[in-house]
């Protein structure tokens, strides 16, 4: 038990960010070396763009996504928790279930609310699927999961335990963007393996808005959003982006949102694009994610 406590204290402490950074950049380097033999078509410009987007969002997220959410979590844990002391053997699996649920609903809402999709779309904007795309993101993407984590604090899960579990699940989330992992048989029906997560990144109609979870398929099964692998997934947005400049590529989702809003004349319709799903339009003309709904994109 002492060894588990020591591991949790280390992973969930000040080393957390260094661990994730090491996992991310280590995975990118290993995959790039593998690609010298296994994937000669590896897109270096796309990968460098993803890394640049990660660095930009990581620096800006230090306050927005780390310090403020951590302060809120600690405040709830210190003042409102239901259980004063919780054993580590109970806290770890509970933290995992809470984290998976928070991740799932943050991710699902990011796909179904126009403004949140504009923030999240950059993660899907790469036309490649590899470790470099794992942390491709926009500074305001994924912030809801910090609020959705507060029930874990309310129940009484120590912040260090929750952070440690988050580090481990996020490390898994980096691995499941691997381009070199093949289908894994029955494991693909239990865990969010690389092939199952590649389904989530695909733009084919049967794959759009599916497989939201990070580690398991538990909540996708529970909430009816799982899609199993059939034809090989084709990663990228329906309306593809070919911008490899991280300074401009990070605004691709916002630009596509603005383009849809510009078609509306009434301000009520313009504002509706912010909360309606990305395929919605004020005039019934599909301008995003059209293949999912059997419609043709607007010309």
């Amino acid at each position: 038990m002492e060894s588990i406590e020591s591991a949790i204290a280390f992973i969930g402490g000040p080393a957390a960010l260094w661990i994730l950074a090491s996992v991310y950049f280590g995975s990118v380097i290993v995959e790039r070396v593998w690609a010298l033999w296994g994937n000669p078509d590896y897109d270096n410009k796309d990968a460098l763009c993803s890394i640049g987007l990660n660095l930009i969002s990581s620096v800006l997220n230090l306050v927005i996504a780390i310090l403020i959410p951590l302060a809120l979590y600690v405040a709830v844990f210190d003042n409102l928790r239901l259980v004063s002391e919780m054993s580590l053997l109970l806290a770890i699996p509970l933290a995992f279930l809470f984290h998976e649920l928070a991740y799932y609903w943050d991710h699902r809402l990011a796909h179904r609310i126009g403004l949140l999709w504009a923030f999240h779309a950059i993660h899907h904007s790469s036309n490649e699927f590899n470790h470099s795309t794992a942390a491709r993101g926009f500074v305001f993407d994924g912030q809801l999961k910090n609020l959705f984590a507060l029930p874990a604090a309310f129940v009484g899960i120590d912040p260090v335990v929750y952070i440690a579990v988050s580090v481990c699940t996020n490390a898994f989330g980096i691995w499941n963007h691997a381009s070199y992992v093949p289908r894994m048989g029955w494991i693909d029906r239990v865990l969010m393996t690389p092939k199952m997560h590649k389904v989530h990144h695909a733009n084919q109609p049967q794959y759009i808005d599916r497989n939201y979870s990070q580690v398991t398929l538990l909540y996708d099964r529970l909430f009816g959003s799982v899609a199993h692998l059939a034809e090989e997934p084709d990663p990228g947005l329906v309306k593809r982006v070919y911008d490899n400049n991280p300074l401009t590529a990070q605004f691709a989702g916002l630009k596509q949102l603005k383009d849809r809003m510009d078609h509306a004349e009434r301000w009520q319709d313009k504002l509706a694009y912010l909360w309606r799903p990305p395929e919605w339009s004020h005039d019934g003309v599909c301008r995003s994610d059209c293949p999912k709904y059997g419609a043709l994109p607007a010309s």
Side-chain angles (χ1 to χ4, degrees):
M1 181 62 73
E2 289 183 4
S3 60
I4 297 177
E5 291 178 353
S6 299
I8 291 294
F10 176 74
I11 298 172
L17 293 178
W18 292 108
I19 292 171
L20 282 177
S22 299
V23 171
Y24 175 68
F25 287 106
S27 298
V28 170
I29 292 170
V30 169
E31 186 175 43
R32 186 63 190 93
V33 172
W34 166 83
L36 294 175
W37 296 275
N39 182 16
D41 295 326
Y42 187 96
D43 192 328
N44 291 302
K45 291 182 179 179
D46 183 90
L48 289 173
C49 177
S50 294
I51 293 170
L53 288 165
N54 171 33
L55 293 175
I56 292 171
S57 62
S58 295
V59 171
L60 296 175
N61 269 329
L62 284 175
V63 173
I64 298 173
I66 298 177
L67 297 181
I68 293 177
L70 179 59
L72 285 173
Y73 192 104
V74 171
V76 173
F77 177 80
D78 285 345
N79 299 289
L80 299 173
R81 70 178 183 266
L82 295 176
V83 180
S84 58
E85 292 187 16
M86 184 180 298
S87 72
L88 202 56
L89 294 180
L90 177 61
I92 291 174
L94 278 181
F96 173 77
L97 291 175
F98 274 111
H99 187 273
E100 275 283 275
L101 186 62
Y103 184 95
Y104 177 91
W105 279 110
D106 168 86
H107 200 178
R108 184 163 182 165
L109 291 175
H111 278 251
R112 305 308 303 142
I113 295 175
L115 181 60
L116 298 183
W117 171 246
F119 298 156
H120 183 63
I122 186 59
H123 181 65
H124 289 260
S125 63
S126 173
N127 300 308
E128 305 294 324
F129 183 80
N130 53 49
H131 283 312
S132 72
T133 64
R136 183 185 183 106
F138 185 68
V139 63
F140 294 124
D141 182 31
Q143 302 304 333
L144 284 180
K145 67 176 175 287
N146 297 317
L147 291 177
F148 294 161
L150 294 181
F154 182 69
V155 167
I157 297 173
D158 190 282
V160 174
V161 175
Y162 192 84
I163 292 172
V165 169
S166 300
V167 170
C168 293
T169 57
N170 287 333
F172 184 95
I174 293 171
W175 173 79
N176 71 12
H177 286 78
S179 62
Y180 51 83
V181 177
R183 300 189 187 202
M184 302 182 71
W186 65 268
I187 299 177
D188 288 333
R189 294 187 170 271
V190 179
L191 297 180
M192 194 61 69
T193 60
K195 284 296 187 182
M196 289 300 287
H197 189 60
K198 190 176 183 181
V199 163
H200 175 74
H201 276 256
N203 53 33
Q204 291 107 310
Q206 69 273 27
Y207 293 152
I208 294 175
D209 294 347
R210 298 290 178 178
N211 295 8
Y212 292 113
S213 298
Q214 187 173 37
V215 177
T216 75
L217 290 172
L218 173 64
Y219 293 116
D220 280 294
R221 289 186 180 280
L222 185 62
F223 298 115
S225 55
V226 67
H228 293 291
L229 190 62
E231 65 176 303
E232 182 64 21
D234 182 17
L237 296 172
V238 171
K239 190 175 182 180
R240 289 190 182 275
V241 173
Y242 297 99
D243 187 350
N244 287 324
N245 183 343
L247 296 178
T248 53
Q250 63 182 311
F251 301 110
L254 289 170
K255 183 179 182 300
Q256 290 192 6
L257 174 63
K258 181 182 181 299
D259 289 343
R260 295 196 299 274
M261 293 174 69
D262 285 345
H263 284 88
E265 295 182 358
R266 300 192 314 152
W267 67 266
Q268 296 97 323
D269 292 331
K270 290 180 181 291
L271 291 179
Y273 279 96
L274 299 178
W275 61 272
R276 293 277 193 171
E279 73 278 359
W280 178 85
S281 71
H282 68 288
D283 54 6
V285 176
C286 185
R287 297 187 174 91
S288 178
D289 291 352
C290 302
K292 177 183 176 184
Y293 301 94
L296 294 176
S299 59

